[in-house]
Amino acid sequence: MNDAVSSPPSPASAAASPRRITQAVSIGEIKVGGGHPVVVQSMTNTDTADIASSVRQVAELWRAGSELVRLTVNNPESAAAIPRIREKLDMMGVPVPLIGDFHYNGHQLLAGEPACAQALAKYRINPGNVGFGKKRDTQFAQLIEFAIQYGKPVRIGANWGSLDQSLAAQLMDENAKRADPWDAGHVLREALIRSALDSAERAVEIGLPRDRIVLSAKVSGVQELIAVYRDLAQRSDFALHLGLTEAGIGSKGIVASSAALAVLLQEGIGDTIRISLTPEPGQSRTQEVIVAQELLQTTGQRAFTPMVTACPGCGRTTSEFFQELAKVVQEHVRGRMPEWKISHPGAENMTLAVMGCVVNGPGESRHANIGISLPGTGEAPAAPVFVDGEKSVTLRGENIAQEFVALIDNYVETRYARSAG
């Protein structure tokens, strides 16, 4: 990448706290924690036993940018499908590590399908439903022993929707004896944190190395999630997976997840994230991957694809052309990014602006690597283009969109060094 065209740090990245120092965990070829970049992950919603559908969705999520993909493993059929899914993905050139999501019967499924245990890159265990009563410790130990046997890392993921009720009751009893009792919410947060931490320490006692453990403690409330992870981060050095559980559908899920995770990321907390969106009818599962990437990029954590600054529109911009052009540009660069990532590394840092009138258009365009200031209502029908702060050309006529996209492609070709690979 040409240093002369590097974008300056955003205010978000400049203000972010140093990353929390954690254990580094290897999940296949992906590194989580230990100062490595925050990793994006997602989860399929297909029937895992439907091999063709699961392979198709895993590949789609990976191509969208999911660096880890989790699948439900809930019955013998799904366990038997995992090695076949892995094989087909490898044949397609999709190397994404697969995570097995186990609840209730994971110890039985891994025992019954050794090929599944081997094919998975990580196991996810929920300490709240790994077993009940006297069976809990035994079944948890069996799962950890499989992870040790096959050399796999584990995410110990507590969730307040399936909290260990015996631990919650114990902490409630202890709280009742306090001179200054906590409120019920505080006790439940402590139960969630203790469930994760105690289970992690138990796994270490059994023999699982600390650098094969990732923790999560998920809730569905924004303030509760922030409080839980701040506490969890202070009390351990395990890598942490962030996510607002059952975030919701559409804008609600996006806003709630962003509000919670942005605060934690700015404080240096979090090593891998998932945006748990409920897909709208007919909508691709990949939306949650795009939202996760955009969250990391807008908070200055990582760069995935050129981001477009675009005018929101006002009475000066009665034409919809700037809206259409902004969409065309964003879709174009996102579509080209898989190729540019290989051929022109650094292009993901490029900044673009599509502005709608003379008020802020030229100024915003000068701040971007490439920006265009379209004519507003009543303005002369000309669109100046700025490249690295300098006016480059003025576009006119009916082919502005195609010409501007061509300028972007040319900028990438000339300003970002072509990889020899």
Side-chain angles (χ1 to χ4, degrees), residues 78-331:
S78 61
I82 290 293
R84 297 175 64 188
I85 292 170
R86 177 73 275 164
E87 179 182 6
K88 290 183 179 295
L89 289 169
D90 289 341
M91 292 173 64
M92 294 166 61
V94 178
V96 62
L98 302 180
I99 302 168
D101 194 59
F102 295 101
H103 298 274
Y104 307 110
N105 59 352
H107 59 295
Q108 296 172 337
L109 297 175
L110 290 175
E113 291 289 344
C116 170
Q118 183 60 53
L120 291 169
K122 185 175 76 167
Y123 309 153
R124 189 273 180 148
I125 303 171
N126 184 338
N129 58 28
V130 71
F132 303 99
K134 295 180 180 179
K135 294 182 179 180
R136 179 191 179 282
D137 289 345
T138 299
Q139 292 173 186
F140 177 80
Q142 288 174 328
L143 284 165
I144 297 302
E145 286 164 359
F146 280 119
I148 296 168
Q149 177 183 348
Y150 291 99
K152 306 297 181 179
V154 169
R155 170 156 72 94
I156 296 175
N159 190 302
W160 75 349
S162 49
L163 190 58
D164 182 341
Q165 292 303 306
S166 62
L167 176 60
Q170 173 192 328
L171 294 182
M172 286 289 190
D173 289 342
E174 292 175 3
N175 188 57
K177 299 175 183 177
R178 293 177 185 273
D180 185 14
W182 296 341
D183 61 57
H186 190 165
V187 177
L188 288 176
R189 289 195 299 272
E190 178 65 14
L192 191 68
I193 293 165
R194 282 277 302 276
S195 179
L197 290 176
D198 292 355
S199 297
E201 293 302 335
R202 175 59 180 147
V204 172
E205 290 174 6
I206 294 169
L208 187 67
R210 299 182 73 86
D211 63 0
R212 289 192 200 159
I213 297 174
V214 178
L215 294 187
S216 67
K218 290 189 174 183
V219 300
S220 58
V222 170
Q223 298 302 330
E224 288 84 357
L225 190 83
I226 293 170
V228 164
Y229 273 90
R230 282 174 172 166
D231 202 345
L232 193 58
Q234 290 178 350
R235 293 163 64 175
S236 81
D237 65 349
F238 292 110
L240 298 180
H241 168 69
L242 301 186
L244 195 71
T245 190
E246 288 91 40
I249 192 169
S251 60
K252 185 270 178 185
I254 294 171
V255 171
S257 292
S258 299
L261 271 57
V263 170
L264 293 167
L265 290 168
Q266 286 295 100
E267 294 179 3
I269 298 170
D271 303 288
T272 172
I273 68 169
R274 182 192 172 201
I275 307 296
S276 299
L277 295 181
T278 303
E280 297 197 34
Q283 191 174 70
S284 171
R285 187 72 161 178
T286 59
Q287 186 192 23
E288 66 177 46
V289 179
I290 294 170
V291 172
Q293 289 183 327
E294 291 179 345
L295 174 61
L296 291 175
Q297 188 150 352
T298 55
T299 55
Q301 307 288 329
R302 292 182 65 181
F304 296 93
T305 190
M307 300 290 281
V308 179
T309 297
C311 171
C314 67
R316 292 175 176 270
T317 56
T318 53
S319 168
E320 293 183 352
F321 180 67
F322 77 94
Q323 299 166 314
E324 296 165 357
L325 180 57
K327 182 178 180 181
V328 166
V329 170
Q330 186 71 79
E331 291 179 349

